[in-house]
Amino acid sequence: MEDFFCGNQHGRNTRLLKVDKDGNEQWSKMLNDFIVSYVEQTKEEAYLLAATKLSEDVILGYTMVKLDSRGNKLWEKIFGNELSWFLSPRKKTIAEIDNGYVIMGRSQTSYYIILKKFKNRDIPFAVFTYKPEYPGVNQSVIFDASVSNDPNGNISNYRWDFGDGNTTITSEKKVIHSYDRIGEVAVRLTVMNNSGE
């Protein structure tokens, strides 16, 4: 490989710089809301990144990002609670296999090492945040699914199950809901793309 790749973290963002063998800049990209800890070039000269994904003040978790040869984002996969943290910055955490990848990290609840295998073409995945963090009875809660992603198309529908018997399907990324009693609820979000996946 005649060129190399480096990232420079700027707070909650990472700047990626590709240079040739003589150190001449080929391109530079800023990845907002990603803290990148590992970069690897693939066989087709794209790039795989292991990163932590953020949304405002919320850590969404362990994330894999694929860029094309010019640094344009092709897709991202947020593992959330499936994996918690990378094993160590700058250590190999991604392996390319036939028609997919293996990514390695730690369990959220223990120090066990976890390997996750997934195909190159992945289905849409749902991630959301909400505000306020501790809502009161009948207080409006804003649920935001803006960071949900479809590697192969556009998300067309968001199906919300608010955990209190109420559900809604919308094409909007944000919804508002309130609860009429105190207690814990499990909110579920399902996303569907324009291919019906």
Side-chain angles (χ1 to χ4, degrees), residues 81-196:
N81 293 333
E82 299 176 59
L83 296 173
S84 58
W85 302 107
F86 301 110
L87 293 177
S88 176
R90 296 173 297 280
K91 296 290 178 65
K92 185 174 177 67
T93 55
I94 302 169
E96 193 173 7
I97 57 175
D98 289 341
N99 196 31
Y101 308 97
V102 173
I103 191 163
M104 180 169 55
R106 283 198 180 106
S107 164
Q108 187 176 34
T109 57
S110 69
Y111 287 102
Y112 295 127
I113 294 173
I114 296 176
L115 297 175
K116 297 289 291 183
K117 178 181 176 184
F118 61 100
K119 293 182 178 178
N120 191 16
R121 186 183 186 279
D122 213 340
I123 61 174
F125 55 91
V127 181
F128 67 90
T129 59
Y130 63 92
K131 286 184 177 179
E133 185 175 359
Y134 301 105
V137 174
N138 295 321
Q139 182 178 4
S140 294
V141 183
I142 300 172
F143 293 92
D144 185 351
S146 299
V147 293
S148 297
N149 186 265
D150 175 19
N152 306 292
N154 298 309
I155 294 175
S156 56
N157 286 307
Y158 301 82
R159 184 183 189 281
W160 295 91
D161 180 342
F162 296 107
D164 61 353
N166 291 296
T167 62
T168 188
I169 298 174
T170 179
S171 60
E172 300 296 321
K173 297 176 181 180
K174 295 182 181 181
V175 295
I176 297 175
H177 185 70
S178 61
Y179 295 90
D180 60 7
R181 60 180 63 121
I182 295 173
E184 293 186 3
V185 294
V187 178
R188 292 181 175 84
L189 170 63
T190 304
V191 296
M192 183 173 290
N193 66 14
N194 49 5
S195 300

